[in-house]
Amino acid sequence: MIYIQAIVVLGGLGGTLAVLLLIADRFLANYGPCKVAINDRDPIEIEGGRKLLEVFYDNAIFIPSACGGQGTCGFCKITVKDGGGPVLPTELPYLTTEEVEAGTRLACQVKVREDVVVHVKEEYLNVKEFKAVISSARMITHDTRELRLKLTEGEEIDYRPGQYVQVFVPDTGETTFRAYSVASAPSSKTEIELLVRLVPGGLGSTYLHNIRVGDGITFTGAYGEFELDMSEDTELVCVGGGCGMAPMRSILRHIHEVAPTRTCRLFFGARTTDDIMYMNEFQALAGEMKAFGLHYALSEPAQSPGWDGETGFIHESVERHLGTEGRRQAFLCGPPQMVEATMRVLHDRGLTRDQIFYDEF
Ligand SMILES: Cc1cc2nc3c(=O)[nH]c(=O)nc-3n(C[C@H](O)[C@H](O)[C@H](O)COP(=O)(O)OP(=O)(O)OC[C@H]3O[C@@H](n4cnc5c(N)ncnc54)[C@H](O)[C@@H]3O)c2cc1C
Ligand code: FES
């Protein structure tokens, strides 16, 4: 009993000490002016104590940071060439041994306490901040809202199909961003569409479910690694679950516009008929395209009287319909379990890692 009490007391003291250190670091530590040198730009002078991600943002450098700096996405990787202190335990789950050796760090975790020299990928230096107004908003399922964002007059955004933007969430007391995939085709440069599923209590999704037509909105972009193979003989396999529909819609609308003879398939997994998105729209596209296979499957068909389509998890549909022949490229987007299970099927069907792109959320 006495041991348990000692452990509880020591644990409490340790926790209190950690909190006091954090408070002291936040409010009392004075690191003085520090220089941050980014790529070949002139060094920026800042007051020490700020996170690199904030320094970048204040200087209009918008690197991917899908979790908004919470240290949970691992997207904000940059190279620290000098300064920056030791790698923190919060960074390690996202870094390989080779990356640690090469100086890769998470910008949202590195606090500037001394002069630092950093390198960010050149492509991020081209990412811009955009202002827009909400030009239309509608619920497309019981929990998912489709928003159309019209950019300020004269502004245009370039993006590849399947890329995402980071929406600024106001009134949170800090700089908060959340990532949302673009659901429109890249030909739509002055207006983009997003699909947002409401996460109860979630900062970003609640903001985007409450925003009204005519309200202003700020976002940065575009981000993401999705890269379409545009050769005519490559079959495109798109697999989406929930809001993972957004990038698939961007890809397939693009293909419909620029290469309607391409062979492609959309697999969309939903729980019930209430979660189905854009089925009529894709049936119409399929009618206009030469070889478009459309596969919607419900994992809870018992809750969906009248459904006579496919049932089961969406990776099972992929397993049923996808052969092993020919050159293919696959795009997956949805919950991690869906992505993992589908990845296994695709490997079984002969696709290699470089033929598969995915985003999990
Ligand atoms: C590349 C990328 C693209 C994305 N595209 C889209 C998109 O097109 N549409 C879309 O709706 N979302 C998308 N997301 C997810 C989106 O960025 C947010 O994570 C999501 O909207 C939740 O943010 P929030 O601020 O509302 O919740 P938070 O305030 O971040 O979280 C509130 C609470 O909910 C939990 N939570 C967070 N996310 C989920 C979840 N998905 N399900 C259940 N609980 C959760 C958190 O752990 C926390 O406890 C994407 C994410 C990434 C990384
Ligand atoms: S880990 Fe998500 S922004 Fe840094």
Side-chain angles (χ1 to χ4, degrees), residues 86-102:
V87 176
L88 302 175
T90 46
E91 297 174 80
L92 285 173
Y94 302 98
L95 302 176
T96 62
T97 313
E98 294 75 39
E99 285 177 324
V100 172
E101 279 165 10

Side-chain angles (χ1 to χ4, degrees), residues 195-269:
L195 304 183
V196 183
R197 187 175 75 84
L198 183 64
V199 172
L203 286 177
S205 58
T206 303
Y207 161 62
L208 291 170
H209 270 250
N210 289 333
I211 198 165
R212 286 178 303 199
V213 172
D215 284 352
I217 185 167
T218 302
F219 66 90
T220 63
Y223 305 94
E225 312 293 324
F226 283 21
E227 190 92 57
L228 274 182
D229 172 350
M230 287 310 287
S231 45
E232 186 71 26
D233 58 350
T234 301
E235 176 179 356
L236 283 182
V237 182
C238 295
V239 189
C243 277
M245 163 58 88
M248 304 309 147
R249 184 168 178 258
S250 177
I251 292 169
L252 290 165
R253 287 179 72 111
H254 177 66
I255 293 297
H256 171 253
E257 282 175 12
V258 304
T261 53
R262 281 284 293 271
T263 305
C264 44
R265 289 177 188 274
L266 170 64
F267 293 92
F268 181 72

Side-chain angles (χ1 to χ4, degrees), residues 68 102 137 157 159 163 211 230 266 272 278 287 303 305 313 315 336 346:
I157 178 168
Y159 53 97
Q163 283 197 299
I211 198 165
M230 287 310 287
L266 170 64
T272 68
Y278 297 121
Q303 313 297 320
F313 290 113
H315 69 275
L346 293 175

Side-chain angles (χ1 to χ4, degrees), residues 101-315:
E101 279 165 10
T104 308
R105 302 289 304 268
L106 298 187
C108 68
Q109 301 298 300
V110 179
K111 195 177 254 193
V112 181
R113 297 182 166 93
E114 58 188 332
D115 291 352
V116 290
V117 179
V118 301
H119 183 83
V120 305
K121 277 192 195 168
E122 288 297 327
E123 66 187 85
Y124 298 154
L125 301 179
N126 299 325
V127 172
K128 286 178 30 187
E129 183 177 75
F130 295 92
K131 304 271 181 210
V133 291
I134 303 298
S135 56
S136 83
R138 64 176 179 129
M139 294 298 289
I140 57 162
T141 70
H142 60 101
D143 64 357
T144 298
R145 198 175 191 214
E146 178 198 77
L147 292 173
R148 190 168 293 158
L149 284 63
K150 186 170 176 38
L151 271 57
T152 308
E153 197 65 42
E155 287 280 0
E156 287 195 347
I157 178 168
D158 286 320
Y159 53 97
R160 295 195 304 273
Q163 283 197 299
Y164 65 95
V165 296
Q166 293 187 177
V167 173
F168 173 67
V169 186
D171 306 325
T172 62
E174 50 193 21
T175 310
T176 304
F177 279 93
R178 292 289 184 270
Y180 294 95
S181 303
V182 181
S184 40
S187 57
S188 180
K189 288 170 182 283
T190 57
E191 219 168 15
I192 61 165
E193 286 170 347
L194 306 180
L195 304 183
V196 183
R197 187 175 75 84
L198 183 64
V199 172
L203 286 177
S205 58
T206 303
Y207 161 62
L208 291 170
H209 270 250
N210 289 333
I211 198 165
R212 286 178 303 199
V213 172
D215 284 352
I217 185 167
T218 302
F219 66 90
T220 63
Y223 305 94
E225 312 293 324
F226 283 21
E227 190 92 57
L228 274 182
D229 172 350
M230 287 310 287
S231 45
E232 186 71 26
D233 58 350
T234 301
E235 176 179 356
L236 283 182
V237 182
C238 295
V239 189
C243 277
M245 163 58 88
M248 304 309 147
R249 184 168 178 258
S250 177
I251 292 169
L252 290 165
R253 287 179 72 111
H254 177 66
I255 293 297
H256 171 253
E257 282 175 12
V258 304
T261 53
R262 281 284 293 271
T263 305
C264 44
R265 289 177 188 274
L266 170 64
F267 293 92
F268 181 72
R271 282 178 30 217
T272 68
T273 38
D274 288 345
D275 303 295
I276 284 181
M277 297 175 191
Y278 297 121
M279 201 156 115
N280 292 341
E281 178 178 309
F282 280 114
Q283 279 167 343
L285 284 198
E288 292 167 20
M289 291 171 71
K290 197 169 159 208
F292 183 2
L294 193 53
H295 311 277
Y296 277 64
L298 297 187
S299 60
E300 293 177 17
Q303 313 297 320
S304 308
W307 175 255
D308 60 357
E310 288 191 43
T311 57
F313 290 113
I314 199 62
H315 69 275

Side-chain angles (χ1 to χ4, degrees), residues 53 63-77 90-91 94 105-109 166 177:
L53 188 63
I63 67 167
S65 47
C67 71
Q70 298 174 97
T72 55
C73 70
F75 283 21
C76 61
K77 288 180 185 175
T90 46
E91 297 174 80
Y94 302 98
R105 302 289 304 268
L106 298 187
C108 68
Q109 301 298 300
Q166 293 187 177
F177 279 93

